[in-house]
Amino acid sequence: MASRAGRTAVGERAAALRAAQAALAAEHAAVYGYGVVGGRIGDDRLAEAREGYAAHRSRRDDLTRTVRDLGGDPESAAPAYALPFAVPDAPAAVRLAAELENRVAAVYADLVRASTGSLRRQAAGALREAAVRAVRWRGSGVAFPGLTERATTVTPSASPSGGADGV
């Protein structure tokens, strides 16, 4: 009986580690994406872009520690990431910021499902923050942040590009 409980705990820890690694990869991609947003956004929303950039850097750093605490080797950032669409101007930058937040919310929904205790609370907080930022960028909300977007999104947020041509 004890060995079965031990295997269950190991399996749960492995699931939490996989979800934390996925969230870390999404945060790396979001930090990269916000660099693009900041370069294209209008002055009227630049402070909001900086806030998002700082929030994702902080979450990325927290997740790096979390992955280590779970016994993993934190995923490194790719040199560049393929963007989901071209970002030639401020309106496209706003759409990109909303898309980044939707994708981050989706991986945090997975982390909420895969974790327990304080990690689950942290993931739920990160999901909520991403959902709020998405609403601010998009101008409207969704019923279940991190879930409806997951069903309609085909490509993951952390899709590295071989070079900077993904920008």
Side-chain angles (χ1 to χ4, degrees):
M1 198 75 135
S3 64
R4 183 175 182 206
R7 283 193 305 257
T8 301
V10 169
E12 289 172 357
R13 187 176 184 91
L17 176 58
R18 281 191 304 276
Q21 286 280 33
L24 177 58
E27 289 292 8
H28 284 311
V31 168
Y32 178 89
Y34 265 97
V36 175
V37 169
R40 306 286 197 287
I41 200 75
D43 289 340
D44 59 326
R45 298 196 77 179
L46 186 56
E48 193 174 352
R50 286 182 178 148
E51 265 180 43
Y53 178 76
H56 288 292
R57 285 186 60 191
S58 178
R59 287 287 181 190
R60 177 201 62 196
D61 295 346
D62 289 345
L63 281 166
T64 297
R65 286 185 292 277
T66 296
V67 167
R68 282 193 187 109
D69 290 347
L70 290 170
D73 185 25
E75 173 143 346
S76 298
Y81 293 86
L83 299 177
F85 48 83
V87 186
D89 54 22
V94 169
R95 286 194 320 276
L96 177 60
E99 180 66 17
L100 292 170
E101 298 300 345
N102 288 341
R103 291 177 181 203
V104 166
V107 296
Y108 278 115
D110 292 344
L111 185 54
V112 167
R113 183 173 41 256
S115 61
T116 60
S118 64
L119 180 55
R120 175 178 264 178
R121 284 188 297 278
Q122 291 168 4
L127 169 57
R128 181 183 60 248
E129 289 170 12
V132 168
R133 280 190 300 271
V135 166
R136 288 180 182 151
W137 286 114
R138 194 175 41 246
S140 64
V142 295
F144 299 104
L147 300 179
T148 56
E149 293 85 357
R150 174 68 118 203
T152 60
T153 301
V154 177
T155 57
S157 63
S159 54
S161 170
D165 58 0
V167 177

